[in-house]
Amino acid sequence: MAEESKPPVPPLPDGEKKPAAEVVPPAQTTSAANAVEKPAAAAPPAAADKPVAPPAAAAPPKPAAPAKPAGPVPMPWTSPMVEKYRHQYGSGLEAQSYLGQNYFSVDRSLIPNFLKLLRDEEQFDYCVDITAVHYPKREKQFEVIWILYSFARNERVRVKTQIVDGESVASAVPLWATANWLEREVYDMFGIKFDGHPDLKRILLPDGWKGFPLRKDYGILQQDQEWVQINLGIESGQ
């Protein structure tokens, strides 16, 4: 194909320069022209810029367990009667009060005379009870207690003494008739003998029963199986 003829360029007046050729930018491609400029992806925040979780709050300390309250303890007991017998018996007698209950602790050898003085001189004319307690770990395992009451004084007092296993104490039956069955019950449950008792034998259990149920070494379900078999003709279920 023949080259198209270009129109002649008219000469420039003297002194004028030919202008620089106009630079025409290359045509953009259709795809580049239609492309949508996307924002650059944001850079991940630096480690220092990350929010720091607050430290977990420490668990509050558990409150200390309250101290166990101290139990009641015996307190010294004094009165004109106490001073009278303390002067008479010295170290063989101790007077204390526990939870409002007054008691004398006396040596076993003083029991018969001291009980008689309380009846005759202090008007403790009623023997309310006679009982005992077993302390297996003590040298003197048994504590025998007399509880006395004075109608004239409207006052109650306790007398205690300690004995080893196998020892006996004087019977109070000559002083108070009520001591008869009370001493039999102590003998029946603890095996403690009372010298001078008119008829010391079991009162709750059969005469031939073996063992003393209120001693701490007597099992809670223990029975005299031999007695049950012989006298009842049955096998014990315990």
Side-chain angles (χ1 to χ4, degrees):
M1 183 175 179
E3 184 179 354
E4 293 182 358
S5 60
K6 296 181 179 179
V9 178
L12 295 173
D14 294 338
E16 292 186 9
K17 293 182 180 181
K18 185 177 179 180
E22 186 178 358
V23 180
V24 179
Q28 294 179 346
T29 61
T30 305
S31 60
N34 296 335
V36 178
E37 186 177 357
K38 297 181 178 180
D49 298 335
K50 291 183 178 179
V52 179
K62 294 183 178 180
K68 187 176 180 181
V73 295
M75 303 295 292
W77 169 41
T78 185
S79 72
M81 179 178 65
V82 170
E83 295 307 316
K84 172 184 175 182
Y85 293 114
R86 182 177 284 136
H87 178 75
Q88 182 173 347
Y89 291 108
S91 60
L93 177 146
E94 184 178 357
Q96 291 182 312
S97 181
Y98 180 76
L99 295 177
Q101 300 176 356
N102 299 327
Y103 64 90
F104 290 102
S105 295
V106 301
D107 187 84
R108 166 179 166 267
S109 62
L110 302 179
I111 284 298
N113 290 334
F114 186 65
L115 293 179
K116 189 174 187 301
L117 288 175
L118 290 178
R119 187 198 67 172
D120 296 344
E121 296 187 5
E122 309 301 334
Q123 299 178 294
F124 286 95
D125 44 9
Y126 175 36
C127 181
V128 179
D129 196 10
I130 301 174
T131 186
V133 186
H134 184 207
Y135 298 97
K137 295 182 180 180
R138 289 184 183 178
E139 180 182 357
K140 294 185 176 182
Q141 296 186 18
F142 296 97
E143 196 169 78
V144 185
I145 304 110
W146 293 259
I147 303 175
L148 310 176
Y149 180 74
S150 169
F151 288 96
R153 303 164 64 112
N154 190 24
E155 184 178 347
R156 192 181 301 258
V157 71
R158 290 160 174 79
V159 179
K160 300 182 180 182
T161 193
Q162 295 182 6
I163 62 173
V164 300
D165 190 9
E167 279 188 332
S168 59
V169 291
S171 173
V173 173
L175 301 175
W176 300 284
T178 54
N180 190 321
W181 284 15
L182 299 175
E183 290 178 356
R184 286 179 58 188
E185 183 176 357
V186 174
Y187 168 72
D188 195 0
M189 295 290 104
F190 294 93
I192 298 172
K193 295 181 179 180
F194 293 86
D195 296 333
H197 190 283
D199 186 26
L200 191 63
K201 61 183 180 181
R202 290 188 183 268
I203 191 172
L204 299 175
L205 294 173
D207 291 337
W209 192 271
K210 295 178 181 178
F212 306 101
L214 288 188
R215 292 192 179 197
K216 297 291 177 60
D217 52 8
Y218 192 94
I220 191 170
L221 297 179
Q222 183 176 338
Q223 282 190 356
D224 183 350
Q225 298 186 10
E226 180 182 357
W227 188 95
V228 172
Q229 176 65 37
I230 294 174
N231 294 275
L232 302 181
I234 61 174
E235 294 292 335
S236 172
Q238 299 182 10

